[in-house]
Amino acid sequence: MKIKLSCTAFALALAALPLAATAAGDPFLKAQMIAENLEPVIVHPEQQKAVQEKLAALEKHSGRKPNILILLVDDLGWGDVGAYGGGTAVGAPTPHIDSLASGGLKLTSTYAQPTCTPTRSAMMTGRLPARTGLTRPILTGENPKVNPWASEQTAAGLLSAAGYRTALSGKWHLGEPDGFQPQQVGYDEYLGILSVSSEFSQGLDARLVPNLVLKPERMAALKKVSRSAITAGKRGELAQVLEPIDSIEALAQIDQKFANFSEDFIRRSVKAQKPFYLIHSFSRVHNDNYPAKGYAGKSPAGFPYKDAVVEVDDIVGRLMQTLKDTGQLDNTLVFFTSDNGPSDDLLPDSGYTPFRGGKGSTWEGGVRVPGIAYWPGIISAGRQSDGLFDLMDLFNTSLAVTGNSAKVPKDRYIDGIDQSSFLLSDQGVSNRESVYMYAERQLMAIRWEEFKVHLKVFDVKRAGANLDESLVSSTGMSPWVYNLYVDPKEQVSTGHRNFEWGLPRVVGIAGRHLATFQKYPAKDLGLAKPVQ
Ligand code: CA
């Protein structure tokens, strides 16, 4: 009888989800609302104060604002990096990335969105894809009916206005048409690809896609909708073709070109005595990987994917050396991460995660990514934390460490949180209470403390089919609950058996979150599937 009563109460609570449920007053919850348009924050005044003092002392000493370098790898798995248990163990050592982890802060609960475009847009705007409308990758020749960038603010744009030199090097994948390009939405400089590696390889590799590459009519049509080239542009200009990507050999070299540009951008910025904000956005290790010159077979594993991991690691080492050479190593916040989990569907051209699922899903394998913050002299070496960090937090954090928190927009909902005090203070703990995991517009799951609560689940019909053959299913009356400390692979839901105490907390958080869409409606770019 007791169980029946509690289940009924729970069902009622779930039914109230879309309403303005509030978690205020719940003694289990720690986050406070600090503004109506901001994600609630766990406030830690002492660590905040300590970091402000640290940054002020550094600026006094260096005489300039700090730089920000975000190293964003495409589709790298949590388990690919040596510091996370991969590296040598999976046939692709990552000594340079590992040294960032050992010399800085290794985060074990960093979360991305399930795919490229959603993560990148969220990281740059501090807003969930469900709000900006950038809910899935934009594919070959697609022109969204609404330009999301016409009404979004990027950290790059806000920092550029504050005197920073800003650049996007490498993969963009946030829209190709006029008005969508990086140098039109806040970046002073751009050199890279506007789409994604696989969009080029599909038109080049006759072994992979013969029914396109070997069919002249289809190839002629492809050339009309897809520009296979490295492009570049300066603020306000339309990007121009720098060089075509017209062979597999040319495609294999693009990350080296991006590294050349990033190195040059850092050197020029330092010479101009300007602080910089640079997103170095690797094309690697997204499919299809072809080894750059000198990299074929360089990894112990010998597969092109693993050679690409080794190349990424070498480029990380090269950019860190550039910071050192220019005297900026101790004046730069470096953040290393991946935009989503490994693409299981593509083995062996994909990475490794110890978690369930992969890219495209909201199981941990799809969204839990490496996250390393490195800043000698500011971040103590050897720190590790399982505190929650969402890549959207890089928006607020970048503004905070550069002294521009006042520029966080007030006219829209911001899902990111200022995590500068978490990352930079010696004993810092996370300011984030929960992480929301979405599939397009659907709230799928919530991470709270060590628990993962699925309101809906990705149902995968066969191994390695997270994108190609999955379903989204509603859970039964009880959400599926996994304690990630005892069941990190999310294998045995312990929903109502030993989390009855916690479910109302998470239901309250979900209700509070969903209610924000009422005052701040989501944008619709027309990216949803045309289904009845
Ligand atoms: Ca990706």
Side-chain angles (χ1 to χ4, degrees):
M1 192 60 180
K2 191 182 169 196
I3 289 172
K4 194 175 176 185
L5 274 175
S6 67
C7 285
T8 306
F10 176 62
L12 287 171
L14 264 191
L17 262 183
L19 303 177
T22 173
D26 187 322
F28 283 95
L29 302 182
K30 300 170 191 157
Q32 300 173 22
M33 187 181 274
I34 53 172
E36 194 183 47
N37 74 314
L38 298 179
E39 177 68 10
V41 172
I42 305 175
V43 180
H44 298 106
E46 288 190 3
Q47 69 181 37
Q48 188 72 33
K49 186 164 171 275
V51 162
Q52 279 163 355
E53 288 171 0
K54 231 186 215 189
L55 290 174
L58 177 69
E59 193 172 335
K60 197 174 171 192
H61 172 72
S62 69
R64 52 180 287 168
K65 293 277 186 189
N67 314 300
I68 293 176
L69 170 60
I70 296 172
L71 300 165
L72 178 64
V73 191
D74 198 358
D75 289 10
L76 185 76
W78 201 92
D80 283 332
V81 178
Y84 289 80
T88 304
V90 293
T94 55
H96 296 107
I97 303 167
D98 299 348
S99 71
L100 296 183
S102 60
L105 167 61
K106 181 174 86 169
L107 300 170
T108 50
S109 282
T110 299
Y111 285 92
Q113 307 295 320
T115 53
C116 314
T117 302
T119 294
R120 289 152 193 272
S121 59
M123 202 182 86
M124 292 176 194
T125 63
R127 283 156 52 75
L128 277 166
R131 299 190 198 278
T132 62
L134 287 155
T135 52
R136 66 155 171 85
I138 298 170
L139 302 177
T140 309
E142 275 192 320
N143 290 315
K145 66 179 184 184
V146 175
N147 179 357
W149 298 111
S151 53
E152 292 296 335
Q153 297 265 22
T154 60
L158 295 168
L159 287 173
S160 181
Y164 270 69
R165 287 168 62 108
T166 60
L168 187 287
S169 173
K171 174 178 166 173
W172 175 239
H173 211 187
L174 289 161
E176 297 183 58
D178 189 1
F180 286 64
Q181 301 173 0
Q183 79 287 357
Q184 297 175 313
V185 303
Y187 297 87
D188 298 326
E189 298 184 34
Y190 151 72
L191 184 146
I193 53 173
L194 290 171
S195 58
V196 51
S197 185
S198 52
E199 186 160 325
F200 307 134
S201 56
Q202 69 178 354
L204 294 170
D205 194 333
R207 187 178 167 85
L208 275 179
V209 197
N211 50 2
L212 176 63
V213 179
L214 303 180
K215 301 292 177 186
E217 264 185 44
R218 287 180 180 167
M219 283 302 291
L222 180 70
K223 285 192 168 68
K224 286 184 182 157
V225 296
S226 173
R227 188 160 53 172
S228 188
I230 294 178
T231 50
K234 295 235 163 72
R235 168 176 287 277
E237 299 171 352
L238 204 55
Q240 301 296 320
V241 171
L242 199 66
E243 55 184 280
I245 302 173
D246 53 5
S247 66
I248 286 172
E249 291 71 25
L251 180 55
Q253 290 305 118
I254 64 176
D255 276 279
Q256 293 295 323
K257 307 275 170 76
F258 305 158
N260 294 345
F261 172 69
S262 287
E263 186 177 336
D264 182 54
F265 175 79
I266 292 169
R267 290 187 189 281
R268 283 189 287 113
S269 300
V270 176
K271 201 171 172 190
Q273 297 188 309
K274 292 274 192 182
F276 64 83
Y277 170 89
L278 169 63
I279 298 184
H280 182 86
S281 175
F282 292 87
S283 158
R284 304 274 188 232
V285 286
H286 191 291
N287 68 295
D288 299 289
N289 288 290
Y290 306 96
K293 279 177 196 152
Y295 281 93
K298 196 171 178 187
S299 65
F303 280 82
Y305 179 90
K306 302 291 186 176
D307 294 340
V309 171
V310 170
E311 187 189 357
V312 164
D313 187 71
D314 282 351
I315 290 172
V316 169
R318 182 178 157 189
L319 296 180
M320 297 309 295
Q321 186 63 42
T322 305
L323 291 181
K324 197 173 175 187
D325 292 347
T326 53
Q328 295 302 307
L329 200 57
D330 56 5
N331 197 39
T332 305
L333 168 62
V334 178
F335 196 91
F336 174 90
T337 192
S338 172
D339 70 339
N340 48 251
S343 195
D344 267 2
D345 302 34
L346 296 160
L347 269 175
D349 199 18
S350 79
Y352 171 66
T353 176
F355 303 115
R356 179 173 177 175
K359 175 181 178 180
S361 81
T362 43
W363 296 107
E364 292 288 280
V367 291
R368 197 158 165 186
V369 292
I372 301 169
Y374 179 84
W375 192 346
I378 297 287
I379 298 176
S380 301
R383 282 181 63 206
Q384 295 188 24
S385 174
D386 193 50
L388 298 184
F389 190 88
D390 191 304
L391 290 182
M392 285 186 297
D393 298 342
L394 288 172
F395 174 82
N396 307 57
T397 304
S398 297
L399 293 174
V401 302
T402 59
N404 289 291
S405 286
K407 293 192 187 310
V408 173
K410 296 178 177 61
D411 61 346
R412 63 200 67 194
Y413 197 85
I414 300 291
D415 300 279
I417 284 176
D418 170 13
Q419 294 271 36
S420 55
S421 70
F422 170 34
L423 300 186
L424 309 187
S425 69
D426 292 346
Q427 311 292 329
V429 293
S430 176
N431 303 315
R432 175 172 282 281
E433 182 148 69
S434 46
V435 172
Y436 310 100
M437 300 173 197
Y438 273 81
E440 299 175 87
R441 294 194 176 282
Q442 304 177 80
L443 177 61
M444 300 287 293
I446 292 172
R447 168 86 189 259
W448 174 67
E449 309 252 336
E450 71 268 40
F451 305 98
K452 175 88 169 277
V453 179
H454 295 257
L455 304 170
K456 294 182 176 179
V457 290
F458 265 92
D459 191 2
V460 179
K461 292 298 178 193
R462 60 181 168 85
N466 297 297
L467 278 163
D468 284 327
E469 216 172 292
S470 59
L471 300 168
V472 169
S473 305
S474 293
T475 56
M477 188 177 68
S478 177
W480 295 11
V481 182
Y482 302 89
N483 180 327
L484 297 178
Y485 284 169
V486 298
D487 182 16
K489 285 179 183 290
E490 300 172 278
Q491 290 178 313
V492 182
S493 171
T494 55
H496 86 287
R497 189 157 69 249
N498 59 15
F499 194 63
E500 206 169 288
W501 65 272
L503 279 170
R505 277 52 287 163
V506 178
V507 167
I509 290 170
R512 181 179 68 188
H513 170 69
L514 290 172
T516 63
F517 284 86
Q518 292 173 357
K519 175 149 190 197
Y520 301 96
K523 280 192 281 190
D524 180 5
L525 312 185
L527 293 178
K529 287 187 283 287
V531 291
Q532 286 188 313

